[in-house]
Amino acid sequence: MSDDVPSNSGFAFRSQVRAGGERVLAFLTREYRHSDAETWAARLAAGEVEVRGVQARGDEVLRAGDVVVWHRPPWREEAAPLDYAVLLEDDALVAVSKPSGLPTLPGAGFLTHTLLTQVRLRYPGASPLHRLGRGTSGAVLFARTGEAGAALSRAWREHEVGKVYRALGAGVPEWDTLDIRTPIGPVPHPRLGTVFAASADGKASRSVAHVRERRAGQTLFDVAIHTGRPHQIRIHLAAAGHPLVGDPLYGPGGLPLPGLPGLPGDLGYRLHAWTLHFRHPVTGAAVRVEAPPPPDLR
């Protein structure tokens, strides 16, 4: 495909106004910080923005409850691997293995180049029960019915879904198993405003890391997570002194690296969602889903 051929048919981004009194141009500039006021003014002039069903000029004063719609024209998305493996499927659910580099959900310029879009081409209406970071590979579970989705979401909230990841960390620990409970919450970041990281004021978090293999200057871990905080394994292993090999963001103590590190979506780290354990939402039978790890994580 040529580099200038769009990957999608465009998309309508909708944002609801919470408090009135702000003009459309100011609202867009604040709501979508990836673009400056000059860029938004050009989009308004091109007729891409709608308020109350009418094309917006930019100087209209918004009211609470208004919905601002940006009709983004078709665009060329960044390349990503689109193939995935089906691990389990029936009428209620489907589990797939996501490749590293493919976002789970639309965002950050990705729409069709996402696992959600690709899975729905084969399983219309399938909804993911969780998400993996773009750089993380491995098992993702989708519900195919509303009933299955409700049951599995409840099981997730009640910590009845077991999750084990395979991770390659820097350094070699003296311990074999470590129960990591470093709290995780937002902390300041010089480029991103805030990121999730180790924080004394953060939410309670728990991971249990087990040494699977010691290598030269590196360690292969199995990590069971008992909470679902953003970037939890990356933060917890870094807090334990063993940041993921290739992680551009998290360093000693589970904090952002000094200076201007890479964005959280960077793909250099080695992390794989290996297994999921849960009760089938229809039959109640115990289910174990396993996504074979890539060669360097075996």
Side-chain angles (χ1 to χ4, degrees):
M1 183 181 291
S2 172
D3 288 343
D4 59 357
V5 175
S7 306
N8 55 59
S9 300
F11 191 75
F13 293 88
R14 291 174 168 82
S15 297
Q16 187 167 31
V17 179
R18 295 184 179 180
E22 191 172 26
R23 296 187 185 276
V24 172
L25 178 57
F27 174 84
L28 290 167
T29 305
R30 178 180 56 78
E31 183 78 2
Y32 299 99
R33 298 185 180 182
H34 52 69
S35 300
D36 58 19
E38 182 178 358
T39 302
W40 279 116
R43 290 171 178 155
L44 284 157
E48 297 178 10
V49 181
E50 172 188 318
V51 178
R52 302 176 210 132
V54 178
Q55 179 181 324
R57 302 181 306 275
D59 59 352
E60 299 91 341
V61 177
L62 293 167
R63 301 191 295 255
D66 279 346
V67 176
V68 179
V69 184
W70 172 35
H71 296 277
R72 182 176 182 178
W75 72 93
R76 179 68 178 163
E77 299 173 40
E78 183 181 335
L82 302 181
D83 293 334
Y84 61 89
V86 176
L87 305 172
L88 174 71
E89 75 172 296
D90 60 27
D91 291 340
L93 56 85
V94 60
V96 305
S97 184
K98 183 185 84 68
S100 174
L102 179 64
T104 303
L105 302 176
F110 290 95
L111 180 60
T112 62
H113 291 181
T114 62
L115 182 66
L116 175 62
T117 298
Q118 298 305 312
V119 167
R120 282 183 172 174
L121 291 175
R122 183 171 177 179
Y123 305 98
S127 297
L129 276 301
H130 59 123
R131 60 173 294 176
L132 299 179
R134 184 183 172 196
T136 304
S137 58
V140 180
L141 185 62
F142 287 75
R144 299 185 66 187
T145 68
E147 294 81 2
L152 287 166
S153 294
R154 182 170 58 252
W156 229 285
R157 291 193 303 271
E158 296 175 357
H159 307 291
E160 295 173 354
V161 179
K163 302 173 286 294
V164 179
Y165 287 68
R166 187 67 58 80
L168 186 62
V172 180
E174 296 181 356
W175 47 266
D176 292 325
T177 300
L178 185 64
D179 192 331
I180 309 170
R181 301 194 180 226
T182 304
I184 293 174
V187 302
H189 187 279
R191 286 176 60 189
L192 305 172
T194 60
V195 296
F196 283 93
S199 170
D201 298 324
K203 293 184 177 181
S205 309
R206 185 187 180 206
S207 305
V208 178
H210 174 73
V211 173
R212 190 174 186 95
E213 181 181 75
R214 291 178 172 87
R215 301 176 179 177
Q218 299 177 346
T219 301
L220 190 64
F221 295 98
D222 284 347
V223 185
I225 61 171
H226 298 270
T227 53
R229 310 303 177 207
H231 310 303
Q232 179 171 315
I233 293 176
R234 297 170 65 186
I235 295 166
H236 273 180
L237 283 180
H242 302 283
L244 296 187
V245 170
D247 195 327
L249 184 60
Y250 296 106
L255 297 171
L257 292 166
L260 297 176
L263 299 176
D266 284 352
L267 310 180
Y269 59 87
R270 308 300 299 122
L271 182 62
H272 178 80
W274 179 37
T275 63
L276 289 171
H277 308 78
F278 55 93
R279 291 282 176 185
H280 194 281
V282 176
T283 68
V287 178
R288 182 181 189 272
V289 173
E290 178 177 334
D296 64 335
L297 297 182
R298 294 175 187 168

